[in-house]
Amino acid sequence: MSEQQTVGFTVNGERHTVSVPTRELLVHTLRERLHLTGTHIGCDSSHCGACTVDLNGRSVKSCTVLTVQAQNAEVLTVEGLAGPDGLHPLQEGFREEHGLQCGFCTPGMLVRAYRFLQENPDPDEDQIRTGMAGNLCRCTGYQNIVKAIRYAAEKQTAGSV
Amino acid sequence: MGILEDQQARIDQLGGIGCGRKRKEDARFIQGKGNYVDDVKLPGMLHADFVRSPYGHARIKSIDTSKALALPGVRAVLTAKDLAPLKLHWMPTLAGDVQAVLADEKVGFQYQEVAFVVADDRYIAADAVDLVKVEYEELPSITDPFHSMDPDAPVIRPDLDGKDTGAHGKRKHYNHIFTWEVGDKAETDRVFETAPVTVKEQIWYPRNHGMPLETCGSVASFDKVNGELKVWVTSQAPHVVRTVVSLLSGLDESKVHVVAPDIGGGFGVKVGVYPGYVCSIVASIVLGKPVKWIEDRVEHLAATAFGRDYHMTGELAADADGRIQAARFYVLADHGAFDSCADPTKWPAGFFNICTGSYDIKAAHVTVDGVYTNKTPGGVSYRCSFRVTEGSYVIERMIDVLAQKMGLDKAEIRLRNFIKPEQFPYQSALGWEYDSGSYEAGLRKVMEVCDYAALRREQEEKRKRGELMGIGLSTFTEIVGAGPTKICDILGVGMFDSCEIRIHPTGSAIARFGTKDQGQSHRTTYAQILATEVGIPSESIMIEEGDTDTAPYGLGTYGSRSTPTAGAAAARAGRKIRAKAQKIAAHLLEVAEDDLEWDIDRFVVKGVPDQAKTMKEIAWAAYNRTPPGLEPGLEAVEYYDPPNMTYPSGAYLCVVDIDRHTGEVKVRRFYALDDCGTRINPMVIDGQIHGGLTEAFAVAMGQELPYDKAGNLLGASLLDYFVPTAVETPRYETDFTVTPSPHHPIGAKGVGESPHVGGVSAFSNAVIDAFAHAGVTHLNMPYKSSTVWKTIHTLNLDQRA
């Protein structure tokens, strides 16, 4: 059916080598081989963003990336957001501002917001909404997600001064 | 009597009812540690996928599974023939009908389940699906319910041949499911004949889908050694699933272990039992291995239960001042190929008869006809309490239509017709007893805050310039919190709900419930109710749901029923704890029980404030120093059968500006005032309202599941099905009044669904109001730019100066 290929890449700072069929999607490798089930599958068609991960410094929908495309890549998933000092400011922000309900979109939201705040560290509300347009949420109506991202932006800006 | 500083500090420390404590659910979810059904992984687990029908209506001539079975890694391909000896090729639906688990000789809707492929991984299963060869003979489809009962209509359900009675009485045609009537027809007709003003409108509430972000799925694991079955399932009602599985499989209910782990949104879609659940269970029993089935997004939108699809004829009769004298509604309900509506058993059209709304209407009559079509079965309530949204929508639309016909302002006509506070408890003409409400106060507050008069003046000026601006009002009343058990059951199980609480010796607690959170924040808010009732900090109270082995039986979470039922059970279980605690405290303090009074987190000897025992002290004593004759321990169970439902209400105002050259609708302002009775956690309430309003926005502006005449579903992926992103979604302002429910132990009414129920009417009324000056009284949803532009163009409102 599908040839096997060995792929080496770094996920959340840890080096992994996996042998996968060439057609295997990155999201399945992360979830089923590396047991990183924080990354979710919501649509299989790049619309919902629940599977968003950071790949070589860009937000990608891992349901439409082949694992073989991640050869030698640096991948960040939600499991890699918190540091040794505790939660990432975005994780704090989502909790403080009630930016989540069922939690299914949350990992993708967080990982996308992580990249977005590096692209634009001090965004206004409209910029946040546009920057997050690739991630769907059915529970929150986004209003508190916007606040959560502002919370993190302010905290990160304050921290870097 | 004022609260002392010390008391306030203790209240704050409890984190009880009324505080906006942060959610207990979040820590796991923000770190990727949720546990959803697709995260369940068992040794040797197999993966399943469906072969689905490409036709809306067809006879199955043959199914050839040989090529699929020859593919390495394929373990089984199940068809109706394999399920028939087990009598599992058909299953009962919640609505009293039956549904094919796997298509039995014919298919009745596109994407219907035809065969179930089980393989070593999901890729092989998908390959094998393509290798199953099914020969079909296409039949003519019915996709317009108005033709379902034509004399020569195709027969959708040959299995019902000759059955002229269904679960809800007489069937008048082979494609007819039920007729449901309520109200006084003769009196209503009489009022209509003599009323000075009558209005009539044809209103369609399109077929749509709740579409939680997590699709449906199950993992079934049959343990052959012990004859026990464990099922992880995306269910809002896991206890009901356990009962259904036991009845279907013949396994003792004690040997069926159903777990609803974290659920990635439900919105009513995850109430029913789907063929995928049944097939994964059968496959696991047959193969002796765990079997996982997870549907993809297209399958979810195409084959998992839809919402709404009500074709409604609304009529109101009024006096010369616009006071409504009677309401008459007829509904043609499109149920698809099987009646898989998720309603309480005796309610084939749910609680649609809330359709007299917030208004004092003395005479009313409703008729609903349910019919089969060649479409997906369903009719689940998309964030709504059993067809309440349809009922609320039709009255909120019709009162606008009446106002327009009479030249009355749309706020004024509401003020003239509201049920007044002194009329509660209010007996509605269609059989409900409304518990409480402050409708006029709510609307007046909204009108004042938003300066309604100024908005109308602005609209007038804009109209002179040819600009399109609409102001939508919705002053809705919901009915939520089913039971009572005497009128509401599911498959014979009464719709109560439950709470079981255990206080540990060191003063922390665990409480379990028969409901199931899907984002509603039960772990946070139930603990707040208990904290206030038992005087233990909410931080020290663990909440668990979803595991049917450990949680007390309950009917689950949908129809905004958790707070009205399980929330009430929590309060009453808490009071049982307190009653026992009082006995223990009296024993410890060597006083009579009556000498004690409750003070936030302790019992105090009346008039002697330093003679007290805190709940923490009492908890310890419950395990070593109970008074003679009192058993040790500190536990309570409450199964709560509500005496009535609760009636949340709200007053919403929506302002839209419409681009007359593109048809684009922009929501300029949305002000939502809700009255859900006692407010448990304001932060959580606001979150629920934002989410419900966004769903309402999606419904009004774009969500639909259209079919072509051949039965093809046009729009079952996120390419077509509208789910708003952060960019399109409006900003909301929230507000509230508090009118407690007199019959609920803490006065709470439930809020999750109000914003959806009330929001749809507000958005819809706003768009239609923008065209009122052109004589438009109704436009069917959804208001996509293309359809709005067509309206503008037809009315010649896009002329450039």
Side-chain angles (χ1 to χ4, degrees):
Chain A
M1 274 293 137
S2 185
E3 291 168 36
Q4 292 284 127
Q5 189 162 323
T6 302
V7 181
F9 55 146
T10 304
V11 182
N12 302 331
E14 210 174 297
R15 183 81 189 160
H16 292 275
T17 303
V18 291
S19 172
V20 296
T22 49
R23 64 177 179 172
E24 184 161 303
L25 296 167
L26 181 58
V27 69
H28 289 139
T29 304
L30 292 171
R31 287 177 51 81
E32 287 170 23
R33 294 184 196 274
L34 306 185
H35 309 291
L36 295 169
T37 53
T39 304
H40 296 147
I41 303 170
C43 70
D44 326 279
S45 57
S46 284
H47 288 91
C48 81
C51 66
T52 303
V53 300
D54 203 71
L55 182 84
N56 292 332
R58 288 170 56 215
S59 298
V60 299
K61 311 269 174 89
S62 62
C63 75
T64 35
V65 173
L66 295 168
T67 303
V68 293
Q69 291 175 279
Q71 187 69 272
N72 297 322
E74 293 275 346
V75 178
L76 178 84
T77 71
V78 67
E79 289 92 345
L81 271 185
D85 302 332
L87 295 178
H88 188 276
L90 275 162
Q91 292 171 310
E92 261 180 55
F94 271 68
R95 186 185 62 199
E96 290 301 312
E97 300 292 353
H98 188 23
L100 66 149
Q101 291 178 27
C102 82
F104 201 77
C105 76
T106 310
M109 286 281 176
L110 286 166
V111 175
R112 169 59 198 144
Y114 165 84
R115 179 54 49 196
F116 171 67
L117 284 184
Q118 297 188 31
E119 294 159 2
N120 183 352
D122 187 24
D124 64 22
E125 175 171 350
D126 284 340
Q127 289 168 333
I128 293 173
R129 285 178 181 265
T130 307
M132 298 300 294
N135 292 68
L136 298 177
C137 171
R138 295 287 288 141
C139 298
T140 65
Y142 305 104
Q143 199 150 317
N144 289 344
I145 290 178
V146 172
K147 281 194 203 166
I149 294 169
R150 268 308 311 167
Y151 174 103
E154 278 159 32
K155 185 151 183 182
Q156 283 182 320
T157 312
S160 64
V161 171
Chain B
M1 197 181 75
I3 295 175
L4 303 172
E5 206 176 305
D6 150 71
Q7 286 179 311
Q8 189 57 53
R10 285 190 281 129
I11 289 171
D12 294 345
Q13 205 189 353
L14 275 188
I17 293 171
C19 81
R21 76 188 288 239
K22 304 300 176 200
R23 296 200 332 149
K24 290 307 286 177
E25 292 83 351
D26 291 353
R28 289 186 305 116
F29 293 148
I30 57 179
Q31 297 181 77
K33 299 295 179 198
N35 181 36
Y36 301 88
V37 171
D38 198 16
D39 300 338
V40 173
K41 197 172 178 182
L42 303 173
M45 188 172 74
L46 304 174
H47 296 260
D49 205 346
F50 274 114
V51 176
R52 294 178 180 277
S53 169
Y55 295 107
H57 198 193
R59 202 178 315 284
I60 297 173
K61 293 169 75 179
S62 66
I63 302 176
D64 179 359
T65 61
S66 56
K67 277 195 180 151
L69 284 167
L71 184 71
V74 173
R75 301 299 186 101
V77 182
L78 301 177
T79 65
K81 270 191 191 145
D82 301 304
L83 302 189
L86 307 165
K87 295 196 168 59
L88 287 172
H89 53 324
W90 289 80
M91 63 177 183
T93 70
L94 298 182
D97 195 2
V98 289
Q99 175 177 352
V101 174
L102 289 171
D104 187 11
E105 297 181 8
K106 83 189 265 286
V107 290
F109 67 95
Q110 194 182 38
Y111 292 99
Q112 187 176 338
E113 300 80 2
V114 174
F116 191 70
V117 174
V118 187
D120 287 349
D121 71 36
R122 59 183 88 208
Y123 290 78
I124 299 171
D127 289 339
V129 163
D130 292 341
L131 295 174
V132 175
K133 208 173 157 201
V134 186
E135 247 192 296
Y136 298 95
E137 177 195 335
E138 195 177 359
L139 300 168
S141 288
I142 307 173
T143 53
D144 178 354
F146 288 95
H147 289 295
S148 285
M149 292 196 281
D150 285 355
D152 57 347
V155 179
I156 295 173
R157 294 287 300 279
D159 61 297
L160 299 179
D161 192 27
K163 288 186 183 163
D164 56 5
T165 305
H168 304 286
K170 196 148 176 55
R171 299 167 68 221
K172 51 192 179 192
H173 182 279
Y174 48 80
N175 290 332
H176 180 244
I177 308 170
F178 65 87
T179 299
W180 187 65
E181 262 191 274
V182 59
D184 186 338
K185 184 173 190 318
E187 173 61 10
T188 305
D189 290 349
R190 192 193 62 76
V191 176
F192 267 90
E193 273 165 31
T194 55
V197 187
T198 61
V199 285
K200 184 173 185 173
E201 198 72 62
Q202 199 59 46
I203 294 170
W204 181 39
Y205 200 128
R207 177 175 280 238
N208 56 26
H209 205 291
M211 212 216 82
L213 204 57
E214 177 202 36
T215 61
C216 292
S218 54
V219 177
S221 181
F222 185 65
D223 168 358
K224 276 191 169 168
V225 175
N226 296 306
E228 294 183 35
L229 175 69
K230 185 154 185 173
V231 187
W232 289 260
V233 62
T234 48
S235 177
Q236 300 176 224
H239 298 271
V240 180
V241 171
R242 188 184 71 190
T243 301
V244 171
V245 169
S246 171
L247 290 171
L248 285 178
S249 66
L251 288 169
D252 273 356
E253 199 164 345
S254 58
K255 292 192 168 181
V256 179
H257 313 284
V258 172
V259 177
D262 291 325
I263 303 293
F267 315 122
V269 178
K270 293 170 180 169
V271 173
V273 172
Y274 293 110
Y277 304 165
V278 177
C279 287
S280 65
I281 290 168
V282 175
S284 179
I285 292 174
V286 170
L287 297 168
K289 284 181 175 283
V291 175
K292 178 186 272 188
W293 167 73
I294 304 287
E295 65 186 359
D296 66 26
R297 180 56 58 195
V298 172
E299 294 178 292
H300 182 74
L301 284 167
T304 296
F306 70 94
R308 324 289 187 231
D309 216 351
Y310 260 30
H311 296 263
M312 305 182 279
T313 309
E315 290 180 272
L316 294 179
D319 69 13
D321 296 324
R323 288 191 174 80
I324 303 167
Q325 297 178 323
R328 192 160 58 193
F329 301 108
Y330 174 74
V331 181
L332 184 67
D334 183 340
H335 283 231
F338 306 98
D339 187 12
S340 304
C341 212
D343 291 314
T345 307
K346 299 182 191 80
W347 300 88
F351 304 152
F352 180 79
N353 55 324
I354 192 68
C355 59
T356 52
S358 308
Y359 313 109
D360 185 14
I361 304 174
K362 300 289 188 223
H365 183 254
V366 166
T367 310
V368 182
D369 272 313
V371 295
Y372 292 118
T373 57
N374 289 113
K375 298 183 193 170
T376 305
V380 296
S381 295
Y382 175 2
R383 199 179 189 135
C384 128
S385 181
F386 315 118
R387 305 288 190 184
V388 167
T389 310
E390 291 92 321
S392 178
Y393 183 66
V394 75
I395 185 65
E396 287 303 310
R397 279 276 47 250
M398 287 310 298
I399 198 163
D400 270 18
V401 173
L402 179 65
Q404 256 173 265
K405 171 150 185 184
M406 300 189 71
L408 282 171
D409 178 80
K410 288 166 181 169
E412 177 56 31
I413 199 164
R414 287 175 163 80
L415 292 168
R416 283 185 197 179
N417 283 286
F418 279 142
I419 300 163
K420 294 177 178 48
E422 61 272 20
Q423 288 177 279
F424 291 95
Y426 174 82
Q427 306 293 331
S428 86
L430 294 174
W432 299 118
E433 184 182 297
Y434 291 27
D435 57 353
S436 63
S438 315
Y439 305 148
E440 180 176 342
L443 178 57
R444 288 210 185 271
K445 192 172 181 194
V446 170
M447 290 169 73
E448 196 188 309
V449 175
C450 300
D451 200 347
Y452 179 73
L455 285 170
R456 285 291 176 201
R457 283 195 301 273
E458 182 193 346
Q459 183 184 42
E460 201 51 48
E461 283 158 24
K462 287 208 157 137
R463 280 177 176 166
K464 282 181 199 150
R465 297 199 296 269
E467 292 170 36
L468 296 171
M469 167 185 167
I471 304 163
L473 291 171
S474 168
T475 48
F476 63 94
T477 290
E478 271 204 282
I479 171 169
V480 308
T485 58
K486 63 176 185 285
I487 58 165
C488 292
D489 68 88
I490 287 184
L491 297 173
V493 184
M495 295 180 73
F496 56 84
D497 228 292
S498 59
C499 167
E500 180 191 284
I501 176 166
R502 298 178 191 175
I503 316 274
H504 305 313
T506 49
S508 63
I510 182 160
R512 298 186 171 99
F513 293 80
T515 47
K516 177 60 207 163
D517 184 271
Q518 315 122 40
Q520 293 89 341
S521 317
H522 290 175
R523 285 180 205 198
T524 308
T525 55
Y526 284 159
Q528 289 179 250
I529 297 173
L530 285 165
T532 296
E533 293 293 343
V534 302
I536 287 175
S538 51
E539 278 303 310
S540 302
I541 304 174
M542 282 258 299
I543 304 295
E544 270 189 16
E545 299 173 303
D547 185 336
T548 55
D549 279 354
T550 53
Y553 202 101
L555 275 286
T557 294
Y558 42 85
S560 275
R561 67 185 298 281
S562 298
T563 297
T565 60
R572 286 168 57 121
R575 287 168 199 181
K576 286 178 183 170
I577 293 280
R578 218 160 75 189
K580 182 167 181 181
Q582 188 165 0
K583 288 186 181 17
I584 297 168
H587 177 63
L588 296 175
L589 292 162
E590 297 178 352
V591 296
E593 268 185 70
D594 290 348
D595 294 334
L596 294 174
E597 63 186 358
W598 177 249
D599 178 34
I600 301 162
D601 58 355
R602 63 195 59 186
F603 279 103
V604 180
V605 178
K606 286 175 191 165
V608 195
D610 60 342
Q611 286 282 300
K613 285 290 169 193
T614 65
M615 207 56 199
K616 199 176 164 70
E617 291 168 319
I618 295 167
W620 184 255
Y623 290 86
N624 57 32
R625 286 182 62 198
T626 48
L630 193 67
E631 64 182 347
L634 200 51
E635 303 185 4
V637 186
E638 171 81 19
Y639 285 83
Y640 183 75
D641 183 2
N644 187 8
M645 285 180 244
T646 60
Y647 296 75
S649 61
Y652 293 174
L653 182 143
C654 172
V655 184
V656 299
D657 296 302
I658 301 178
D659 185 317
R660 63 198 164 113
H661 301 297
T662 64
E664 190 190 359
V665 178
K666 265 222 145 15
V667 177
R668 188 205 307 177
R669 186 165 196 191
F670 200 107
Y671 197 88
L673 178 143
D674 275 274
D675 192 329
C676 59
T678 301
R679 292 160 58 84
I680 299 164
N681 183 323
M683 176 192 82
V684 168
I685 292 172
D686 269 358
Q688 291 293 306
I689 290 168
H690 294 165
L693 290 176
T694 303
E695 287 185 351
F697 170 76
V699 166
M701 299 302 166
Q703 293 190 334
E704 59 180 338
L705 292 171
Y707 283 80
D708 70 10
K709 286 194 168 126
N712 296 302
L713 174 51
L714 315 170
S717 83
L718 288 178
L719 276 173
D720 301 295
Y721 193 71
F722 177 56
V723 177
T725 72
V727 174
E728 300 90 45
T729 300
R731 281 71 157 167
Y732 310 110
E733 297 161 76
T734 57
D735 197 352
F736 61 93
T737 52
V738 178
T739 312
S741 169
H743 65 75
H744 187 278
I746 62 165
K749 290 186 171 185
V751 75
E753 296 170 348
S754 290
H756 187 134
V757 172
V760 174
S761 311
F763 286 114
S764 177
N765 284 348
V767 171
I768 296 166
D769 183 67
F771 297 99
H773 61 301
V776 174
T777 50
H778 180 69
L779 298 166
N780 279 330
M781 299 184 288
Y783 308 118
K784 296 185 169 186
S785 300
S786 53
T787 54
V788 173
W789 179 83
K790 273 181 206 156
T791 303
I792 295 168
H793 192 64
T794 309
L795 295 169
N796 252 333
L797 295 172
D798 57 348
Q799 300 304 305
R800 290 178 196 272

